[in-house]
Amino acid sequence: MFSYDFPPYRPPNEASSALIRASRGCPWNKCVFCTMYKTLKFHPRSVEDVKQDIDKAVQMFPRARAVFLADSDSLVMKHIEDILQYIRQRFPHAERITSYARAKTLLKLGPTRLASIKVAGLTRVHVGLESGDAETLAFLQKGATPEEMIAGGKAAKDAGLELSFYLLIGAGGRQRLRQHAVESARVCNAVNPDFIRLRTLIVQHGSLLEAQRNAGRYTPTSPLEKLREVQMFVKHLTVHDCELASDHLTNYLWWNHQVVYHGIAGNLPEQQREMLAVLSSTLETLSDVEDEVLDATLLYDQGYISSL
Ligand code: SF4
C-alpha cells in the first residue's frame, strides 16, 4: 500500500512544494492562539522513515522546484542534516528547501550548527515573530522575547539563510495595538528579514486565547483598527531588500458581500508609499460604513469560515 505522511500545515506560498514531514507536532506547543498540534505530542520521525517518504515524494514530484520540511520546528532534530542532504540529492531541481523554525531554536543552534544546516541544503526559514512587543509576546506565551526574536532572526541571516517573518495582526488586541505595531516594526528593522508575511489573528474555538477573551483579558480589534495597526506598522518600517506579503485570506476585509481589501503586498522600501496609499484610501472609503465591514475574525465567529 502507498502510504505517505502528509504534513497537516504548510505556509501558503509552499502550496506547490514537495512536502516532507520530518517531525510531527510542535516541541513548544504553548502559544495561546494556536490549535494546530494541541492533540499531538511532538516527536521526530526516524531518518529512515523520512527518507522513504522523500523517495515517494520524488515519484510524485520528480521536478519539484521547492521542498518544504514539516512540522513546526524540525531543525531541533539531531539528524536534520542527513535529511536535508538526502532531499538535495533526490530533488536535483529544487531551488528552495525551507522549514518552519522557532527563533529560540535558531538561537540555540548557533552559528556553527546553522552553517552546517545551510551547507546540507536548507535555504529558508519561516519564523513566527507574531509580535515585537514584549508584553504581547508574553501574553501569547510565545516563549521568546523581542531580543531573542532579533538574535534568532539575525543568526539565521548570518548563516546565509533567507528569513521569512510572520506578523500576527491583532495580536496585541485593542490594549496593545500601538505598542504591537511599533515594536514589531522595530524588531523587523533590527533583523531586516527577506520577507514579512502578515496574518490576522483569529480567536479560534478551543484555543487558550478564546478563554482569555471570554475572561476579558483580550479585546479583539475591529476590522478598521486592524488596518490602522498595519498602517502604523508599515509606516515605522525601515527595512530594505524585503518583500511584504499578505498572502492569507485572514487579511481580507468584506463589505456588502464583497471583498473590499485583499491586503497589501510589495517590495520595501520601494513600494512602501504605494502600500500606505492603499491603506489610507481603504480606510477613507470604509470609514462611513465602519460598522458594516467584516473581517475573517467576525466571519469565523459567525460560522461562515470554519477552518483557517
Ligand atoms: S504557533 Fe508555532 S510555535 Fe506556537 S504552538 Fe503553534 S506551532 Fe508551536
Side-chain angles (χ1 to χ4, degrees), residues 25-38 72-73 102 128 130 141-142:
C26 170
W28 175 248
N29 219 3
K30 290 180 189 164
C31 301
V32 295
F33 57 89
C34 174
T35 54
M36 289 195 288
Y37 306 108
K38 283 293 179 257
S72 80
D73 201 13
R102 293 185 67 228
E130 324 304 0
Q141 292 180 194
K142 192 67 196 169

Side-chain angles (χ1 to χ4, degrees), residues 3 7 10 13 15 18 30 69 71 92-93 95 133 149 159 186-188 195 208 210 214 220 225 231 255 287 307:
S3 68
R10 47 123 186 99
N13 75 312
K30 290 180 189 164
L69 266 186
D71 281 344
H93 303 286
E95 291 157 3
D133 174 40
M149 291 291 190
R186 180 184 73 85
V187 170
C188 289
F195 304 89
L208 295 169
E210 186 183 42
N214 294 347
E225 281 171 333
Q231 187 181 45
W255 178 69
S287 61
S307 66

